[in-house]
Amino acid sequence: AKQVTWGLSKHFQDDFSFAVEGYYKSLNDIVRYEEGTSFTNPKELGWEDNAIIGKGRSYGVEFETRKESGNLTGILSYTLSWSDRKFEELNHGKWFPFKYDRRHDISFLTEYKLPDLYKRTRLLSIGFTLQSGNNLSIPDIETPGMLLPGREFDDAPDSWEKVRLTYDNPNNFRMPTFHHLDLGYSITNYKSDNKSITWSFSIYNIYNRMNPWYYYKDGENVKQVSLFPIIPSVGFKYTF
């Protein structure tokens, strides 16, 4: 891989800073399994017989601003990027998006220090993440298959031997946008100079966004599986 980057940063007084950075990366000798590869053929000598070699490219620009002092601190960043792959044996030798080609990526985190109580420090935090979805190869073409010798159609009602699923282009489906909002609150009670107790309370994905984890095809339908709904948590830490 070869990568070129450029960047510019600026500090405004003591509180704010801003940075922008662009990059371009080229990759050679990327390995990928050939489409329709079968690992049950006894004539295959090794995985190298089923591999194809290609190249890739990634490029984009990142913006970031920070507030680093005072009761209210935080960071806001945005990335606009592209990531593609190219194999002569795939997609007619044309570029196609990589699985992790996330066009947009926004991150926001802020922390506010509430007024101190007697020997107690309180912090309130808010975090938000938004990312373009990953790319998947969803089959869009069905062709009749052929059962292996000795097999009957009744023995394999849903077998890949009966129906072959293929697709026109690799990574032809982009998953929905991934995003969630998190809240946190912590209170630290100082017992002495070197001893303290901290209670922390947080809520992950406060509006219960059912972000997709993966997809699978069930007959004519494509179904989504989601993980990590709204999750509250409580933490305790004793420092001595």
Side-chain angles (χ1 to χ4, degrees):
K2 299 177 183 178
Q3 180 168 311
V4 178
T5 63
W6 60 267
L8 177 68
S9 62
K10 173 69 174 178
H11 288 266
F12 300 92
Q13 299 178 354
D14 296 329
D15 292 340
F16 292 94
S17 65
F18 175 79
V20 57
E21 182 175 291
Y23 68 94
Y24 184 91
K25 178 191 290 186
S26 63
L27 304 99
N28 295 319
D29 299 328
I30 294 178
V31 179
R32 176 186 172 106
Y33 284 118
E34 218 171 351
E35 299 305 322
T37 295
S38 173
F39 296 95
T40 60
N41 188 347
K43 296 182 180 180
E44 298 291 352
L45 299 178
W47 65 268
E48 298 92 342
D49 299 320
N50 296 317
I52 56 178
I53 306 297
K55 58 184 178 179
R57 63 186 181 188
S58 299
Y59 54 95
V61 60
E62 304 173 347
F63 303 90
E64 181 183 275
T65 182
R66 293 174 176 264
K67 186 178 185 299
E68 301 174 345
S69 61
N71 290 335
L72 180 65
T73 57
I75 178 174
L76 173 64
S77 65
Y78 168 69
T79 302
L80 175 66
S81 62
W82 289 260
S83 184
D84 303 316
R85 296 293 184 265
K86 184 178 181 180
F87 298 85
E88 293 301 326
E89 297 86 348
L90 291 179
N91 199 35
H92 308 290
K94 299 178 181 179
W95 290 97
F96 62 89
F98 184 45
K99 176 181 179 180
Y100 300 110
D101 172 50
R102 294 192 177 102
R103 188 72 66 249
H104 306 283
D105 190 332
I106 300 174
S107 296
F108 171 72
L109 176 63
T110 184
E111 190 173 74
Y112 179 66
K113 184 175 180 295
L114 297 168
D116 291 341
L117 298 176
Y118 177 73
K119 290 186 178 181
R120 290 181 180 178
T121 299
R122 299 175 297 165
L123 294 175
L124 178 66
S125 61
I126 300 175
F128 177 75
T129 299
L130 183 146
Q131 298 174 337
S132 298
N134 290 341
N135 295 299
L136 301 177
S137 297
I138 295 293
D140 53 8
I141 301 175
E142 293 186 1
T143 56
M146 182 172 63
L147 292 177
L148 295 174
R151 298 269 289 173
E152 300 293 337
F153 278 90
D154 294 338
D155 298 333
D158 299 318
S159 174
W160 60 269
E161 301 166 74
K162 290 182 60 177
V163 178
R164 300 295 179 93
L165 301 176
T166 58
Y167 47 85
D168 187 26
N169 299 309
N171 295 334
N172 57 354
F173 175 76
R174 183 179 290 274
M175 298 167 64
T177 302
F178 175 93
H179 57 88
H180 59 86
L181 177 68
D182 311 322
L183 296 180
Y185 173 78
S186 66
I187 181 169
T188 302
N189 187 6
Y190 295 95
K191 298 296 185 180
S192 63
D193 293 339
N194 58 356
K195 295 181 181 180
S196 64
I197 293 176
T198 301
W199 285 96
S200 58
F201 308 88
S202 64
I203 303 177
Y204 173 86
N205 192 11
I206 191 170
Y207 50 76
N208 199 34
R209 163 73 174 179
M210 300 305 294
N211 289 298
W213 190 255
Y214 68 89
Y215 287 86
Y216 67 94
K217 193 169 183 180
D218 183 11
E220 298 295 328
N221 301 317
V222 176
K223 295 188 177 182
Q224 171 183 313
V225 175
S226 299
L227 299 178
F228 306 116
I230 180 172
I231 302 176
S233 63
V234 178
F236 173 82
K237 181 175 70 173
Y238 177 64
T239 303
F240 59 93

